């Protein structure tokens, strides 16, 4: 941290971000966990942190999340579409009615033509505007789309390959870039990244890769209640938690994601605000089921789940986590009633490993792909070292391959077979389970093996597939929840993953920061925030 301090001081001074008072209307300076500014062209990289900071700020989706409340899980609300419905005569056909009088930041009109153009940029490799980067970031989130067609200027038809009750959730990941701006900049996505044009509440006005992004209010935003209250929003990638914490304490930033847990008491003592909230998030190990993987033995998978002292891990994190008993939390309708209880039981873990032919003296050996930081990754180095010690006590020896966050995230899509996995038999990438597609389908359905989705470990279970297919066809929410509960029971009973923790999104911020409501979501709304002078 001492070595980084002069660099950070120089950075803040170079760009006028030193510990000087905020401007008259307020400049909010945020330290992210990412190692770079997330992609700004429309479909961000750097995981859901990218969507939080350069997605839902610069852009909108047809269907948005309601991030205005902190006392209930975030729900869906109209975005660039005012309404949507499935055709009662054909449940593969969805109709979306678009919002009138919306313009992109460059002043061009948002309409049905721009919607079709944007879907082509990520789904049609033959289209002039196709962008492999954006496509790789998003197409796996709505794999069922067959076609997108303009019906009139404000109406779009989306047809799916099969009935898909999850379509509104899936479309919260799809953002819309200005075709006119792309044309103006010579049809170059690289140039567009420096001068992006979306429809969101913020405009990007300055970008220095790996250093900062500057956003300013879109005063012509279609939702007048969400025009930002700050003059500027400055985003800075600072992946090290101690460096982020030092930057906040020194007044170089106003807000940090994921503060160092051991510094939280000091932050509070210095008058800093600490916020957190439960939200749909899981921090697991996703196992490889390829030939030769030790995790093909259910006894070893169960032993690993019984070897983790989750309460001790929670203490390490200063209380900023919820111990996982499955992929979703026990109070959720999808949890069901699993027979296998996720708990700390090292004696039972040792018994299972002995039955499988292993012990502390003759341990199971496994390489895990992890990151040093990243979106939703919490504090991965400290957490993984703690888990490594837990598992070593029962007879599982973990070796870590530490990758840069975006490299690990890209490998998530490449899968365990890819040479980039370097012999890893599990990967540690956290994610949200706010809807069935992103929480279950893209990881566990056999059709989602690379490069189609995020089934990194090549899971393949016909019963799981059948339950997922049935849930996706079921438009009645109660019936759909019951099917997903059966699926979740099976995932827990089969110890399909190593279920470890749920994040609570801890943030630390200056007492000057006002108006922030921490939504029960991976995403947050920065528009109501202001700073005291």
């Amino acid at each position: 941290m001492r070595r980084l301090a002069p660099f950070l001081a120089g950075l803040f001074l170079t760009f006028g971000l030193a510990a000087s008072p905020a401007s008259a209307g307020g400049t909010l300076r945020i330290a992210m966990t990412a190692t770079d500014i997330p992609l700004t062209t429309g479909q961000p990289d750097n995981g859901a942190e990218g969507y939080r900071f350069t997605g839902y700020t610069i852009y909108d989706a047809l269907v948005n999340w309601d991030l205005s409340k902190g006392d209930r899980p975030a729900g869906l609300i109209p975005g660039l579409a005012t309404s949507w419905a499935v055709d009662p005569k054909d449940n593969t056909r969805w109709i979306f009615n678009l919002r009138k009088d919306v313009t992109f930041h460059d002043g061009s009109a948002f309409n049905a033509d721009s919607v079709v153009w944007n879907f082509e940029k990520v789904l049609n490799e033959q289209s002039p505007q196709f962008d492999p980067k954006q496509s790789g970031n998003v197409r796996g989130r709505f794999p069922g789309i067959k076609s997108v067609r303009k019906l009139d200027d404000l109406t779009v038809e989306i047809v799916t390959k099969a009935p898909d009750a999850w379509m509104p959730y899936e479309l919260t990941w799809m953002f819309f870039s200005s075709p006119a701006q792309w044309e103006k900049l010579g049809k170059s996505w690289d140039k567009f990244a420096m001068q992006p044009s979306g429809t969101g509440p913020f405009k990007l006005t300055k970008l220095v890769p790996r250093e900062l992004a500057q956003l300013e209010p879109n005063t012509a935003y279609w939702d007048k209640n969400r025009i930002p209250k700050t003059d500027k929003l400055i985003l800075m990638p600072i992946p090290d938690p101690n460096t982020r914490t030092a930057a906040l304490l020194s007044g170089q930033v106003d807000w940090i994601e994921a503060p160092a847990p051991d510094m939280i008491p000091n932050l509070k003592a210095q008058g800093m605000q600490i916020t957190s909230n439960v939200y749909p998030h899981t921090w697991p190990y996703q196992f490889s089921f390829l030939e030769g993987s030790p995790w093909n033995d259910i006894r070893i998978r169960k032993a690993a789940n019984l070897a983790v002292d989750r309460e001790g891990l929670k203490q390490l994190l200063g209380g900023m986590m919820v111990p996982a008993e499955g992929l979703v939390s026990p109070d959720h309708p999808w949890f069901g009633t699993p027979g296998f209880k996720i708990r700390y039981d090292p004696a039972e873990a040792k018994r299972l490993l002995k039955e499988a032919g292993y012990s502390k003296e003759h341990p199971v050996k496994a390489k895990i792909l992890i990151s040093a930081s990243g979106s939703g990754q919490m504090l991965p180095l400290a957490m993984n070292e703690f888990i490594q010690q837990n598992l070593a006590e029962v007879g599982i020896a973990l070796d870590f391959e530490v990758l840069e966050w975006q490299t690990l995230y890209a490998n998530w899509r490449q899968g365990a077979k890819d040479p980039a996995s370097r012999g890893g038999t599990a990967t540690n990438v956290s994610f949200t389970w706010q809807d069935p597609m992103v929480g279950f389908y893209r990881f566990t359905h056999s059709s989602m093996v690379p490069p189609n989705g995020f089934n990194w470990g090549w899971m393949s279970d016909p019963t799981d597939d059948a339950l997922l297919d049935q849930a996706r066809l079921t438009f009645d929410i109660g019936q759909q929840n019951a099917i997903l509960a059966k699926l979740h029971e099976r995932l827990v009973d089969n110890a399909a993953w190593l279920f470890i923790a749920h994040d609570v999104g801890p943030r630390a911020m200056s007492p000057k920061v006002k108006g922030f409501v921490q939504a029960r979501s991976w995403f947050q709304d920065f528009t109501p925030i202001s700073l005291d002078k």
Side-chain angles (χ1 to χ4, degrees):
M1 185 170 67
R2 287 192 298 270
R3 288 195 299 270
L4 282 171
F7 163 76
L8 286 171
L11 170 66
F12 295 129
L13 288 168
T14 298
F15 294 102
L17 301 174
S20 57
S23 60
T27 296
L28 177 63
R29 303 159 298 175
I30 297 180
M32 305 180 295
T33 69
T35 56
D36 197 0
I37 300 299
L39 192 65
T40 57
T41 47
Q43 307 305 143
D45 56 10
N46 277 280
E49 186 169 36
Y51 277 79
R52 185 187 309 138
F53 286 117
T54 63
Y56 278 107
T57 49
I58 303 171
Y59 297 94
D60 287 299
L62 292 176
V63 184
N64 284 347
W65 291 99
D66 181 0
L67 304 175
S68 64
K69 304 173 183 67
D71 59 353
R72 69 200 74 172
L76 300 182
I77 56 173
L80 293 175
T82 56
S83 62
W84 54 88
V86 68
D87 187 338
K89 297 179 180 179
D90 179 1
N91 56 10
T92 67
R93 182 174 183 263
W94 289 83
I95 303 298
F96 288 81
N97 299 304
L98 306 183
R99 193 174 295 278
K100 296 179 182 178
D101 302 324
V102 175
T103 59
F104 290 102
H105 297 156
D106 60 282
S108 61
F110 168 80
N111 52 33
D113 288 322
S114 57
V115 170
V116 175
W117 187 93
N118 273 272
F119 275 102
E120 293 281 301
K121 84 177 178 184
V122 297
L123 296 179
N124 182 3
E125 296 182 13
Q126 305 306 313
S127 69
Q129 69 268 30
F130 179 75
D131 182 10
K133 289 182 181 178
Q134 293 188 71
S135 179
N137 290 337
V138 78
R139 70 187 303 166
R141 298 187 184 277
F142 36 74
I145 290 180
K146 180 180 180 181
S147 65
V148 181
R149 184 168 67 98
K150 169 186 174 180
L151 298 183
D152 60 43
D153 283 348
L154 293 175
T155 314
V156 171
E157 170 198 79
I158 297 179
V159 176
T160 56
K161 300 168 187 174
D164 187 354
W166 305 335
M167 181 53 60
Y169 289 111
E170 295 167 26
L171 293 182
T172 62
W173 297 94
M174 179 63 194
F175 296 138
F176 296 89
S177 316
S178 166
Q181 182 77 341
W182 183 77
E183 293 276 352
K184 177 183 175 181
L185 296 174
K187 301 181 179 180
S188 167
W189 284 115
D190 288 338
K191 291 181 180 178
F192 190 96
M194 303 303 291
Q195 301 178 60
S197 177
T199 64
F202 288 91
K203 298 179 179 181
L204 181 77
T205 56
K206 185 175 187 177
L207 175 62
V208 182
R210 305 193 77 84
E211 294 184 4
L212 68 84
Q214 178 176 290
L215 283 64
E216 297 182 18
N218 172 18
T219 56
Y221 188 52
W222 55 265
D223 185 348
K224 302 307 178 187
N225 294 321
R226 294 190 61 240
I227 294 175
K229 291 182 168 56
T230 54
D231 281 345
K232 295 178 183 178
L233 173 62
I234 306 291
L235 306 174
M236 286 171 281
I238 305 180
D240 180 72
N242 290 315
T243 308
R244 287 195 301 275
T245 303
L248 178 62
L249 286 170
S250 66
Q252 294 171 321
V253 298
D254 309 293
W255 168 315
I256 62 174
E257 301 282 285
D262 58 349
M263 289 296 291
I264 288 177
N266 187 31
L267 287 166
K268 289 180 177 178
Q270 297 294 320
M272 300 299 172
Q273 305 176 64
I274 306 296
T275 71
S276 66
N277 205 347
V278 294
Y279 72 109
H281 168 282
T282 192
W283 194 96
Y285 283 6
Q286 191 173 348
F287 296 133
S288 167
F289 291 93
L290 298 177
E291 184 178 355
S293 171
W295 309 112
N296 282 312
D297 190 327
I298 191 173
R299 296 169 296 185
I300 296 175
R301 300 197 304 270
K302 285 189 172 182
N305 272 285
L306 295 171
V308 177
D309 178 8
R310 294 166 183 81
E311 288 297 332
L313 188 61
K314 181 178 179 179
Q315 184 176 357
L316 174 72
L317 296 175
M320 293 296 181
M321 67 161 266
V322 175
E325 298 180 40
L327 191 151
V328 306
S329 56
D331 61 349
H332 198 279
W334 299 340
F335 188 81
T337 53
F340 177 51
K341 173 68 174 175
I342 304 292
R343 62 194 188 279
Y344 181 45
D345 191 343
E348 177 64 7
K350 290 177 182 178
R351 186 194 70 76
L352 287 166
L353 288 170
K354 182 178 180 181
E355 184 180 305
Y358 297 97
S359 65
K360 285 183 67 175
E361 294 70 32
H362 176 59
V364 177
K365 294 183 179 180
K367 179 186 280 190
I368 317 300
L369 306 182
I370 69 171
S371 67
S373 65
S375 170
Q377 293 293 86
M378 305 174 71
L379 296 179
L381 293 181
M383 293 171 72
N384 276 298
E385 288 172 0
F386 184 92
I387 293 163
Q388 183 182 47
Q389 293 171 11
N390 282 172
L391 268 61
E393 285 298 313
V394 301
I396 302 175
L398 300 184
D399 178 34
F400 296 132
E401 183 80 23
V402 183
L403 304 176
E404 190 273 329
W405 165 231
Q406 187 57 33
T407 302
L408 180 68
Y409 189 81
N411 175 256
W412 205 21
R413 182 72 175 271
Q414 295 163 331
K417 286 185 179 181
D418 193 272
S421 293
R422 309 181 193 189
T425 60
T427 190
N428 171 218
V429 181
S430 66
F431 60 89
T432 181
W433 42 267
Q434 61 197 18
D435 67 76
M437 173 57 74
V438 302
F440 292 118
Y441 192 92
R442 62 178 176 148
F443 301 113
T444 59
H445 198 282
S446 61
S447 69
M448 290 287 101
V449 297
N452 299 326
F454 296 88
N455 187 346
W456 181 88
W458 294 73
M459 286 181 65
S460 182
D461 186 305
T463 302
D464 291 352
D465 282 359
L467 287 168
L468 283 164
D469 292 339
Q470 184 184 1
R472 199 172 176 190
L473 294 170
T474 302
F475 287 78
D476 180 276
I477 295 300
Q479 294 175 17
Q480 186 186 115
N481 286 345
I483 297 165
L484 293 171
K486 290 180 182 178
L487 171 71
H488 187 258
E489 289 172 6
R490 287 182 54 80
L491 294 175
V492 175
D493 288 344
N494 289 326
W497 294 5
L498 177 51
F499 303 109
I500 301 170
H502 303 303
D503 193 13
V504 294
R507 295 176 168 89
M509 56 194 70
S510 162
K512 295 180 180 180
V513 177
K514 305 297 181 184
F516 175 57
V517 176
Q518 183 151 339
R520 291 179 59 179
S521 170
W522 200 304
F523 312 122
Q524 300 297 327
D525 186 2
F526 301 100
T527 64
I529 299 169
S530 61
L531 283 86
D532 285 345
K533 296 181 181 179

